[in-house]
Amino acid sequence: DAGVTQSPTHLIKTRGQQVTLRCSPISGHKSVSWYQQVLGQGPQFIFQYYEKEERGRGNFPDRFSARQFPNYSSELNVNALLLGDSALYLCASSWTGVNSPLHFGNGTRLTVT
Amino acid sequence: AQKITQTQPGMFVQEKEAVTLDCTYDTSDPSYGLFWYKQPSSGEMIFLIYQGSYDQQNATEGRYSLNFQKARKSANLVISASQLGDSAMYFCAMRELTQGGSEKLVFGKGTKLTVNP
């Protein structure tokens, strides 16, 4: 079975631009989450979507937005990019429940110049 | 708010030996889940092992085991018979369920494990 897939793998943008990252969950998983991982740190929670509705949002500015489609795939959008947005963006899917592990994709490495 | 602490920025181990990676956590929730992930230099986060707060026995998955000491709020990962391919970053994480119904993982800062031949 295919794991979580993310595209693109790498992206270079300039300050002020907008970017869209894409994620396809494991088949059957209805929950999709997005995490930002800056160099040298653990991932930080950005969003969780379940059944196409936003379930939770981390401490990120409104420049960050996301959505989930009927097929449970998801997009993360970041507007007005800042240098500090340079990071590895990880998408994860899971069943719901406290004992369900998140399964992560390979991530999209975003560089803002 | 929940918190995960990994006090070892880096660890070294000889091939075929065992190594313990430390993790302590802080939560007031009676029900919680603890996870360990491996992140090679390629970036993918690979799920290794899970321990539930109500589980009576320590979790094991192949060469990975979790030394869960609830009273001390620690959940250390033990890797037996280390292999060169075990060299990676290792993250301890806790599943948090918020009042709004969201589920998220709170990660520690990670431990970089290097396995020497």
Side-chain angles (χ1 to χ4, degrees), chain A residues 48-74:
Chain A
Q48 184 206 5
Y49 275 78
Y50 180 76
E51 289 279 19
K52 303 181 289 295
E53 292 188 356
E54 182 182 305
R55 272 279 189 92
R57 182 188 183 107
N59 188 24
F60 282 81
D62 291 343
R63 300 185 295 107
F64 289 76
S65 63
R67 54 179 176 170
Q68 187 177 32
F69 299 99
N71 66 354
Y72 303 111
S73 66
S74 178

Side-chain angles (χ1 to χ4, degrees), chain B residues 75-95:
Chain B
N76 299 338
L77 176 70
V78 180
I79 305 174
S80 62
S82 296
Q83 302 172 356
L84 295 178
D86 293 335
S87 294
M89 285 292 291
Y90 288 81
F91 290 94
C92 179
M94 175 180 290
R95 190 73 166 261

Side-chain angles (χ1 to χ4, degrees), chain B residues 57-78:
Chain B
Q57 293 186 331
N58 287 342
T60 60
E61 288 286 348
R63 294 187 299 112
Y64 304 108
S65 61
L66 204 152
N67 184 1
F68 182 48
Q69 298 186 48
K70 195 171 182 177
R72 301 177 66 176
K73 294 190 174 180
S74 73
N76 299 338
L77 176 70
V78 180

